[in-house]
Structures are given as structure tokens and as C-alpha cells.
Amino acid sequence: MPSREEGSKAPPSAQDKGKAKVDDLADVTKEGEKSKDGKDAKADLPPEELSEEDQKLKEELEMLVERLLESDTSLYKPALEAIKTFIKTSTSSMTAVPKPLKFLRPHYEKLEAAYESWPEGEDKASLADMLSVLGMTYSDQNRHDTLKYRLLSPSKDIGSWGHEYMRHLALEIGDEQQLRLEDEKSTKGVEDLKQLALSLIPFFLKHNAEADAVDLLSELEMIDKISEFLDEDTYPRVCLYMVSMVALLPYPDNHEFLKTAYSIYRQYDQYTQALLLAIRLNDLDLIKQTFFDSTKDKTILRQMAFLLARERIQLALPEALTDDDSELQGCLDNSKQSEFFKYLAKELNILEPKTPEDIYKTHLENMRTAGLTNTDSARHNLSSSFVNAFVNYGFGDDKLMLVEDKASSWVWKTKDEGMLSTAASVGMLMAWDVEMGLDKIDPFTYADEDAVKCGALLATGILSSGVRNDAEPALALLGDAEKLHEGSPNQRVASIMGLGLAYAGSARDEVLEILLPVVMDKSQEMRVSAMAALSLGLVFVGTANSDVLGAIFETLIDEDRQRQLDDKWTRFMSLGLALLYFGQQEEVDVLVETLKAIDHPMAKATQVLAEACAWAGTGQVLNLQNFLHICNEHIDEDDDKATKKGDELLQAYAVLGLSLVAMGEDIGQEMILRQFGHLMHYGEANIRRAVPLAMGLISPSNPQMKVYDTLSRYSHDNDIDVAVNAIFAMGLLGAGTNNARLAQLLRQLASYYHRDANALFMVRIAQGLLHMGKGTLSVNPFNTDRAVLSRVGAAGLLTVLVALIDAKDFVLKDSHYMLYFLAAAMHPRWLITLDEDLQPLTVNVRVGQAVDTVGAAGRPKTITGWQTQSTPVLLSHGERAELEDEQYVPVSNTLEGLVILRKNPEWES
């Protein structure tokens, strides 16, 4: 008779009747569990109330088990078949345990004993097959019985046991492999596990479980085997999952995944996607192989050339290709960029040049302060030159510089180095249009003032940034040995910087021959040598070129140069060295070890900068932890000046490194932004100065409200250096977006800082950045659906931020021309559709927020909240476009940048 307490319990629920959770079952049937009074714990449970149907099922199963335990072997086969049928037909849902498994569980140990006593043969294998399924109910006890009996019963038809069984088996294979590898005494290999795993893959792929297939092969380190199991229908989903996993994998698994996805795309003739993965792998041989050997199709080759031009990768085309298609070289050189950009401006009706006043909108600023600033000062005019250059970038027209009457040109309203930066702004206005641009720059080369001549040299480099001209004017005009070795220091710096911008990412040996002697020339001042090292870093970004490496190293360890290493310009030599290893990941370890041999505070800072560049965009957690650790150290006030400066730079680089490494991955970004809050609260002054810059770097041209609200607070900081950097970061955050909220915040700052020349100068620069290209440009280094990190773009941004760590020594003093390194990162955020003859083609596209479809079932929508527009269109951060109908088929997989469309032969109007 049950006690009152037990009697008052609620009637058994469905869970009690036969659908108990696995965990509950495990607790109920643990043997030898006694209650406090010594009785068996089971005795305290109320007897289970089973429905008539369940009772019948239980009795039948118990009878079949009895048969298996008898000595009559002729009954074994039919009994096993019957039990298997019951299990397979019970339920495929695994939110609860199927009833046959629940009723068979108490007999599990007897069946195991029976298995041991049976002779080898078909019946024994069949029993192992059933025990493997029954073993799932013991999964919480780390017994791996499912796997144990599956290995003892090789069967071709494992999939008939259902999806949940297959997932369970895959999980145990991963666990078992780990145990075997960790157990040093184990003599078992993992070959049997690998063979079994391969037999599961076809089932997973057939049932839309690509993620399970990829994860299992990844666990067993044989991801390259997946290509054997794919077909036309399954490869796109598998590759999409593999490529999206790369950001979450450690080195070298991430490269293994990219290489496997690359070979699959090549196998299925997806050349543009294969090329993008070759670019991500930073493997020039693979890029050449994809471009030259994969297809003879003119249109596909042109589309691949556009993709390479976007990443600034220059290839020498064989004559056979250029004879075949005269336009191909033009696509690779980006020579039509200016023409297409002006077409975009015309379609969007923004050809009319804007003046700085259109941007400042001083009539909206606080009227009390508007008249108090000395508006005609050379400093104010200089900031207007920059604003004018950023806003009218690439339009080939403005109202300040390109005026008919050269005497009224804006250059003469500035002075000293200001003239240099102002003259150089012509290169920004005429960007991409090399022939017309050289004509406009020419008058400035004959000016009497040295600064204007220098500006014209720099303009020539900026003009050619991102495009290539057969005549190579930048090389001819800037590579002149006389200017580089005998000209004024400003002339040397302008020529060197121009060469770096014009040939960024091209890895051209001609530039190497010109600049290498300048780096190694001991008679040059540090500023010139450091700029030469930086330009070489830009030209050979991510190539780990040994000649450049050797030259910079020799300079750093040269005894005659030791006293120069304390110079403020030395940081750019370190940056040049670091850029060589951009995206090289593990390869940087050799450099880091070698730098330890240099006995100077700069060496440590260079190590951190090199590590940040090598792992840029990968989201590697170990590097982030290391950088945070560096920020945590306290700088000793008693150290000598050089050591203290080196340590301050070390920490500032670590802060920028946090952004650089985390910028490729959304979750990492969120976490780092939170860390920046802590660093601002508890960090030293040098760290606090770098944090706003790092916040700008983590989301350039992507004005997230939470970020710019924080920066807006920092822009009123007591430390003016922090405030100035926060103002610049606000400009970087909204670069090219015309964000109205940011524009309002910057106007308020212009009123607030009307008496502080430095802060006001920076507010103007930020306003220029915000309206960059009248809202058509972006400085975000990620492109092609945020999949590819442009090395040149990231290098340009990093250079400007390194100069801003000590803004008072560079940008706010006399080296404001360093801001022009942003030209390396500036590109239109457009989608222009072209026909096969490369003429603009107007089609309707839907533009909306991109949706992550990785692993989603069926054919999910890739965008949400879209609007239908006709091309050309502008794409904001996080937006994606797709064609409205199927009249045309895009040659590139991603609708971004310049995309060639083909007529769909199956389309009927």
C-alpha cells in the first residue's frame, strides 16, 4: 500500500508513461541505488501505468529478448529482425526516447552477456547492430557503446536507423578519437574510426546536414576527403559552410578549409569564387593558376580581372591573352574606373562640385561662436583643402583648386607645408583619371615654391593609386634618382610617398630598385629612410619580400643609426616591416624571434605591430589575449625617455592590434568594443589616446550608433589628445556615408572647439571624411560581401592611425600630408552592371540587409527588407543586392563592384 505522500502524487504524465527523457531514464535505472531506509530506490516509485498498447509492446519485446537468451539458435534471426523492425518503426523524433528503446533498456546487460557468449557469425553481427542503437540510451556514462558495437558490426545500411542515431555516432567517433590520441598507452590507431566516418558522409549530405559532414571530417583532420562525396546540388552549401567557418578556426585548419573549398569550386567551374579564395589564401601562384589556366571564356576572364584590380593585384598577361582580348589588360589595370565613377555620379545626379562651406554649414553652428574664429587663417584654409579633396574625390572638378585663373588657386591661401598638402589635393580630385590629371598637376610643377612642387609630386602618386597606366608616369616622374638623393627633404618624402601610394600592393621590382638604396643610405635623415621603408611595405604588403626585410633590418641594427632610432619617424620603419607580413599568420614568428636580438625599445613595439598585421582580420583569440596582457602592464616612470616612449608605443600598438585582429568577425568585435570601455576607465594616458582610433578602425564606414555615441563622449575628454583622436575616429566611422546624426554631432563640436585650432582642424577633417566622395565612397577594407580583406586598404588605414597616435607630432604639426594615405583605402561602394562589351547596363536589383544563410534549410532569402532600384546603386555596410528577375545571369557570384551580366538563354520575355 503506498503511503499518503505517494498516493497524493499527480497521475503519471506522458513523460512517465513511455516518453521519458534519456537523462531521467539514466537516473531511474542506476543499479544498486538504495533509499535511506535500505530498501531499493525503485520500490519507492509508483508502479508505471502503461496503456494497453504500450503494455502489449512491452510484453512482445520481453518475449523476443527471452528468445535471444535461449539456446535455440534458430530463433535468433527472426527475433532480431522483429526487434529491429519495432525500433525503426517507433519514432524518428528524438526529443524523447522511443518506447522500444525504453522497454529494452533494462535487458541491455543481459543482451551484452549474450553477445559475448554467441559464436561468430551473421547472427552475432546482427545483435551488435541492434546493441549499437540501444547503446544510445547509455550515452551519459561515456561508454561509447554505440560506436563499440557499430565497429563490431560492419553494415552498409547504417542510415536506416535514422538521423539522430547517425549524429550520435558521429559525436562518439569524435570523442573516441580524442581519447585514443590522448592515451599514450593505447595501441589502437584511428584508421577504423576514419573508415566508419567516411561511411556516414553520404547520409549527411543526402539529408541536408552538410554542417555535420564537415564537422565530422574536420574533427578527424581529413576535410580534403569531402570533395569525393559532393555533386552539383550539394557543393554550394558545403562550400558556403566551410568558408564561413574559416574565421572561427585556428591556423592551419583555416587554410586547409580554404584550400579544400578552392579545389571544389575549381572542380565545378566556379572560377570567380575560386579566385576570391586564392586571394584570401594570399597565394600568388594559385591566383595565376586560376586566372591563366582555368578558362578561355573572355567574359569570365574580364570579371576575374575586375576582382583582381579591386584587390590591387597586378599580373603580367601573356601575349596570347591580350591578342585574344584587347580589353582584358584594361580591366586588370582598372583603367575604366574613372569613367564608371563619373557615370555613377551622373546617374545619381551629384556631378555638381561641393565647396567646404556646403559641408560645414556654418549657419547651423552656434551663432555666438561663428564669428569668433579667425576664418582666413592659413590653418583654416588648409583644413578646407583637405575637406575639398575628400568630398570631391575622383569627380575631376571643384571650385577651389581646378580654377581657370591659376593666381586665384587655393594653394596661395596656405603657407609652408600647407602648400604641399593643398597642391597634393589635385591628385585626390583627379583620382583614377591619369591622363587628364597629369595635365591639371603640370602647372604646379613649375611653381617657384618648393612646397608646391613637392605637392605636385605627391599628387602624381595619389592620382595613380589603384589604377595602372601603360606609360607608367608615376614611375618616370617620381623615381628620378636626382630628386630622391639630392632634392630637398620634402621633395624626397613626397616622391617616396607618391611611389608607395601609386604602386601599393603591386609588388613591382622596379619600385624596389628605386627605394631600396634610400632605405640603406646612412646619410639620409630618418624621416626619408622611414618613409622609403613604409612605401616599400605598402608596395610589397603581405609578400614577406626578403630584400626589403633585409634592408630594413640592416638599418635597425646599424650602429651608426642607433642614435636615430629614437627619432619620432622610426615608427614608420617598424610599420613598413610589419606590413610585409600582413596576413602571413604563423610566418611572422621568425620575424618576432629575430627582433628580440635588437637591443632597443622600438624592437618590442615592432614585434607587436608585426603580430597585429600578420593576424589581421582572423579574430585569433590568443593574439587578442596577448595584446590585452600588454595593455595591462604598468609603465615605470623612472625609465629613460627612449624606453618610456618605446613602452608607450608598444601599448598603443597593442590597442590598435586588438581592432585589427578582431575586425573580421562580428562576435569578436562586440567583445573588443566592451574591452575598450575598460581600457578607457583604467588605462594609462597613452592607451586612452589609442582607444578612439582603434574604435574607428574596427568599424570604418559603418556608423554604428553605440560606437559613435561613445566616441562623442570621448570627444569632450579632459585630455585634448584623446578628444582630437575621438573626433577623427568619428569621421572614420562615418566615412562616405553622409550620416546625418554624425554630421550634427560634428557641427556641435565645431562650435564647442571654436577657440582650439587643433581640435577645430580635426573636426573639419572629420566632416570631410563623413561626406567623402559626396557619399559614394567607403574606407572599409572588407569587400565582396565582407569576405575579402583588402591588404592595401587596411595598410592605408593603419598608416594614418599610427601617425595619429601622436597627432601633435605629425598631423597637427607639419606632416598633415600623412592623411593622404587614406587614398589607399578609398573605393566606391557601388554596384555597376555591365554587358559583355563592358558598357553600363541598367537592370532592376533588390537591395536589402544581408541575411546569414549558412546552414539554413531549403532556399532561404539572402536579403531582408529590400527596395527595388535600378543600377547603378550604392551599397551601404551590411547590404547585399540580387537581380530582380532571371533575364540576365551575373558572371560573378557576388553583386558588388563591377559585375558583368550575360543574357539568360532560357529567359522568355
Side-chain angles (χ1 to χ4, degrees), residues 873-889:
V873 295
L874 294 176
L875 298 174
S876 301
H877 186 276
E879 282 187 340
R880 194 181 278 163
E882 56 182 42
L883 293 175
E884 187 183 36
D885 52 38
E886 292 177 8
Q887 184 178 354
Y888 291 97
V889 180

Side-chain angles (χ1 to χ4, degrees), residues 163 167 203-214 237:
H163 198 263
R167 291 186 66 171
F203 175 88
F204 284 139
L205 292 175
K206 190 176 167 190
H207 292 81
N208 290 337
E210 298 86 2
D212 291 336
V214 171
R237 289 168 60 91

Side-chain angles (χ1 to χ4, degrees), residues 411-412 414-425 444-445 447-459 488-491 494 814 816-817:
V411 172
W412 314 116
T414 53
K415 58 186 183 192
D416 305 332
E417 274 83 0
M419 285 181 150
L420 191 160
S421 290
T422 306
S425 71
F444 295 104
T445 56
D448 297 333
E449 287 80 356
D450 184 57
V452 179
K453 283 182 187 168
C454 299
L457 290 171
L458 180 51
S488 67
N490 275 350
Q491 254 186 6
D814 52 13
H816 26 71
Y817 49 80

Side-chain angles (χ1 to χ4, degrees), residues 623-632 658 672 675 679:
N623 295 83
L624 297 176
Q625 287 173 343
N626 179 28
F627 293 152
L628 283 168
H629 188 71
I630 291 169
C631 295
N632 196 26
L658 288 169
I672 289 301
Q675 291 294 343
L679 289 175

Side-chain angles (χ1 to χ4, degrees), residues 648-664:
E648 283 184 0
L649 269 181
L650 170 76
Q651 292 189 328
Y653 291 159
V655 175
L656 290 181
L658 288 169
S659 277
L660 203 56
V661 174
M663 72 195 301

Side-chain angles (χ1 to χ4, degrees), residues 847-859:
V847 179
Q849 278 303 113
V851 176
D852 185 10
T853 58
V854 179
R859 289 190 168 183

Side-chain angles (χ1 to χ4, degrees), residues 119-289:
E120 292 296 327
E122 205 177 304
D123 289 347
K124 186 167 185 173
S126 182
L127 177 59
D129 191 19
M130 187 202 55
L131 284 171
S132 174
V133 181
L134 202 48
M136 281 200 290
T137 57
Y138 279 96
S139 62
D140 59 322
Q141 295 176 17
N142 285 331
R143 288 169 57 157
H144 295 174
D145 281 3
T146 303
L147 176 61
K148 173 182 155 188
Y149 288 109
R150 174 51 54 216
L151 290 170
L152 292 168
S153 160
S155 156
K156 293 281 175 236
D157 187 27
I158 317 177
S160 62
W161 288 112
H163 198 263
E164 194 57 40
Y165 171 74
M166 300 294 272
R167 291 186 66 171
H168 195 93
L169 191 54
L171 192 68
E172 287 197 3
I173 289 173
D175 289 348
E176 178 67 22
Q177 188 223 17
Q178 208 57 40
L179 289 172
R180 286 190 193 179
L181 293 176
E182 285 169 7
D183 184 3
E184 292 168 7
K185 295 174 190 165
S186 172
T187 52
K188 292 180 183 174
V190 288
E191 204 48 48
D192 54 343
L193 298 178
K194 289 188 173 181
Q195 289 311 315
L196 178 59
L198 290 174
S199 68
L200 305 185
I201 303 302
F203 175 88
F204 284 139
L205 292 175
K206 190 176 167 190
H207 292 81
N208 290 337
E210 298 86 2
D212 291 336
V214 171
D215 292 347
L216 178 58
L217 290 177
S218 170
E219 186 94 24
L220 296 173
E221 295 179 353
M222 44 191 223
I223 190 68
D224 52 328
K225 293 269 190 293
I226 196 156
S227 53
E228 300 164 18
F229 301 96
L230 298 178
D231 58 30
E232 285 284 348
D233 300 324
T234 51
Y235 87 84
R237 289 168 60 91
V238 168
C239 287
L240 179 65
Y241 180 70
M242 285 174 66
V243 172
S244 61
M245 282 272 289
V246 169
L248 309 171
L249 290 170
Y251 183 89
D253 294 356
N254 51 4
H255 273 195
E256 212 46 56
F257 265 55
L258 284 174
K259 282 177 185 163
T260 307
Y262 167 82
S263 59
I264 295 168
Y265 280 138
R266 279 295 297 268
Q267 192 181 331
Y268 290 98
D269 298 344
Q270 298 297 314
Y271 303 120
T272 54
Q273 280 164 293
L275 183 69
L276 287 171
L277 294 187
I279 292 169
R280 282 182 70 173
L281 281 163
N282 196 4
D283 186 336
L284 196 60
D285 294 333
L286 210 54
I287 292 170
K288 286 179 179 170
Q289 191 187 325

Side-chain angles (χ1 to χ4, degrees), residues 561-839:
R561 285 264 169 140
Q562 280 297 307
R563 63 179 193 285
Q564 281 190 321
L565 290 186
D566 297 342
D567 191 289
K568 66 178 183 179
W569 288 92
T570 311
R571 69 187 64 188
F572 294 109
M573 196 160 265
S574 307
L575 181 58
L577 192 59
L579 291 178
L580 291 173
Y581 277 90
F582 200 96
Q584 289 276 342
Q585 302 190 7
E586 295 266 286
E587 307 292 322
V588 78
D589 292 350
V590 183
L591 175 66
V592 170
E593 287 306 313
T594 323
L595 281 166
K596 286 178 183 170
I598 299 176
D599 182 26
H600 190 276
M602 275 308 293
K604 254 182 164 176
T606 310
Q607 286 173 38
V608 171
L609 204 51
E611 276 185 40
C613 286
W615 295 96
T618 58
Q620 280 289 331
V621 181
L622 291 176
N623 295 83
L624 297 176
Q625 287 173 343
N626 179 28
F627 293 152
L628 283 168
H629 188 71
I630 291 169
C631 295
N632 196 26
E633 288 170 8
H634 183 69
I635 296 176
D636 195 346
E637 293 296 324
D638 302 332
D639 286 340
D640 61 59
K641 193 177 171 190
T643 310
K644 195 175 168 204
K645 187 68 205 163
D647 287 347
E648 283 184 0
L649 269 181
L650 170 76
Q651 292 189 328
Y653 291 159
V655 175
L656 290 181
L658 288 169
S659 277
L660 203 56
V661 174
M663 72 195 301
E665 199 251 320
D666 293 338
I667 299 165
Q669 275 188 31
E670 291 280 329
M671 292 166 74
I672 289 301
L673 284 170
R674 202 172 301 163
Q675 291 294 343
F676 286 155
H678 300 319
L679 289 175
M680 283 304 274
H681 275 294
Y682 308 113
E684 310 273 338
N686 55 309
I687 291 178
R688 295 182 78 247
R689 276 172 215 160
V691 168
L693 299 174
M695 290 177 81
L697 177 62
I698 207 163
S699 109
S701 294
N702 174 23
Q704 302 176 61
M705 193 165 176
K706 58 182 178 195
V707 184
Y708 67 66
D709 273 359
T710 310
L711 285 171
S712 177
R713 282 206 314 279
Y714 296 158
S715 64
H716 296 81
D717 198 272
N718 292 336
D719 181 346
I720 191 65
D721 295 335
V722 174
V724 163
N725 285 352
I727 294 167
F728 179 82
M730 287 165 78
L732 194 60
L733 202 70
T737 61
N738 287 352
N739 185 290
R741 176 86 182 100
L742 268 171
Q744 186 190 359
L745 289 171
L746 289 170
R747 277 198 297 276
Q748 288 168 1
L749 284 167
S751 306
Y752 183 77
Y753 283 118
H754 70 280
R755 289 181 186 281
D756 185 327
N758 282 343
L760 185 62
F761 177 76
M762 205 50 102
V763 172
R764 298 309 186 202
I765 297 290
Q767 286 177 309
L769 289 175
L770 179 65
H771 297 278
M772 184 190 282
K774 301 176 200 164
T776 58
L777 300 175
S778 164
V779 292
N780 197 313
F782 282 95
N783 57 66
T784 323
D785 216 2
R786 297 211 54 227
V788 183
L789 172 64
S790 160
R791 296 196 295 274
V792 175
L797 282 179
L798 189 60
T799 306
V800 175
L801 296 180
V802 166
L804 281 162
I805 288 172
D806 289 314
K808 282 190 169 143
D809 287 342
F810 295 99
V811 175
L812 297 176
K813 198 175 180 188
D814 52 13
S815 310
H816 26 71
Y817 49 80
M818 296 298 289
L819 289 170
Y820 286 130
F821 275 110
L822 280 174
M826 291 159 69
H827 60 93
R829 50 186 185 91
W830 59 10
L831 162 62
I832 292 187
T833 44
L834 310 169
D835 61 19
E836 292 188 65
D837 298 325
L838 304 184
Q839 294 308 309

